[in-house]
Amino acid sequence: MQNLLKFLLCLTLAVPAAAQTITHAAVTNSAPPLVTAYVMDDKHVLEPGDVISLQILEDQYPATNLVVTDSSELNAPYIGRISVEGKTCRQLAAELKKSLEKTYYYHATVVIGLDSVNKVRGEAYVAGASGAIHASGKVDILFNKQLTAGEAILMLGGYGEFADEKHIQLFRKGEDGGAKAKTFTINMEEVQKGKADDIMLEPGDLVFVPARLVNF
């Protein structure tokens, strides 16, 4: 009789343990692929216009698509507006996990994926006097890629016959919209010889190519 009771007691205790093991195995086998598939980007720094997918696995809800605003912020679940400036998806996931576990969760598994990247950071403009350039227009300034004034001119066809390459003008608006605007003069002949530096463009810059005073 005692042996039978011991057998029944062992059987009763073994069932929950087995169930717990199976549940843990299911989570272990299913969770890593999600993390590998989504939280993989640790190189691209999030920029305005980027779209990410965000999921908190403990909620068991589908991932939510979020767009990085012009102020480099996201409206994160439970937390609200949060800055993503200078952060990658992996860094953002770690930060959100820490914040969520302070107040809302005992343990939070934050999964973030980079769905699409806004490649264009802004536009610069190129103009010139008659005969100084082949075409005027705008050029895109891409994220994670520098663009100089000289490169922008070449992208639109290069210099015209009467271009004054020694006095290229670059006009840059001030942070307040123009009250503290700056003007730079670039000697492209010296730049081409390696004796001077070109200037990296910022969104809103205007590059102007003047004509020589005496054309011959």
Side-chain angles (χ1 to χ4, degrees):
M1 185 65 178
Q2 290 181 349
N3 291 335
L4 178 59
L5 290 175
K6 289 181 179 180
F7 173 76
L8 292 174
L9 179 60
C10 291
L11 180 62
T12 302
L13 295 174
V15 172
Q20 184 178 6
T21 302
I22 293 171
T23 303
H24 175 72
V27 172
T28 302
N29 291 334
S30 60
L34 286 174
V35 174
T36 301
Y38 288 97
V39 190
M40 62 172 64
D41 189 277
D42 197 31
K43 298 184 181 299
H44 175 73
V45 176
L46 293 170
E47 301 283 358
D50 289 349
V51 180
I52 68 168
S53 61
L54 188 151
Q55 185 177 23
I56 304 170
L57 295 185
E58 284 73 17
D59 280 351
Q60 298 182 350
Y61 294 134
T64 301
N65 288 332
L66 301 173
V67 180
V68 181
T69 66
D70 290 340
S71 58
S72 294
E73 293 178 308
L74 283 175
N75 192 15
Y78 303 107
I79 298 174
R81 305 280 283 195
I82 181 173
S83 174
V84 301
E85 186 174 1
K87 301 182 181 72
T88 64
C89 285
R90 191 183 298 275
Q91 292 169 333
L92 177 60
E95 182 177 323
L96 289 177
K97 172 183 172 66
K98 185 176 180 180
S99 297
L100 289 169
E101 289 178 349
K102 281 184 178 179
T103 307
Y104 301 99
Y105 292 85
Y106 176 75
H107 176 76
T109 307
V110 181
V111 179
I112 295 179
L114 183 62
D115 285 357
S116 66
V117 175
N118 180 20
K119 297 181 180 179
V120 179
R121 184 161 64 100
E123 296 174 336
Y125 304 89
V126 177
S130 178
I133 56 175
H134 288 293
S136 300
K138 61 184 180 181
V139 292
D140 290 333
I141 300 176
L142 305 181
F143 283 111
N144 302 322
K145 187 175 181 180
Q146 295 180 327
L147 178 68
T148 66
E151 290 171 339
I153 295 170
L154 294 177
M155 288 173 66
L156 290 175
Y159 302 98
E161 181 180 0
F162 305 120
D164 180 0
E165 297 183 36
K166 293 183 179 180
H167 300 93
I168 306 297
Q169 301 295 305
L170 191 156
F171 302 97
R172 177 168 295 168
K173 296 179 180 180
E175 294 182 359
D176 57 355
K180 296 181 180 180
K182 297 180 180 179
T183 302
F184 305 89
T185 300
I186 309 169
N187 187 332
M188 285 299 178
E189 290 187 359
E190 294 295 303
V191 170
Q192 293 166 6
K193 294 176 183 178
K195 297 182 179 180
D197 294 327
D198 204 344
I199 297 180
M200 301 299 171
L201 296 181
E202 295 291 337
D205 282 355
L206 170 63
V207 179
F208 181 80
V209 182
R212 296 193 300 268
L213 294 179
V214 178
N215 299 318
F216 56 86

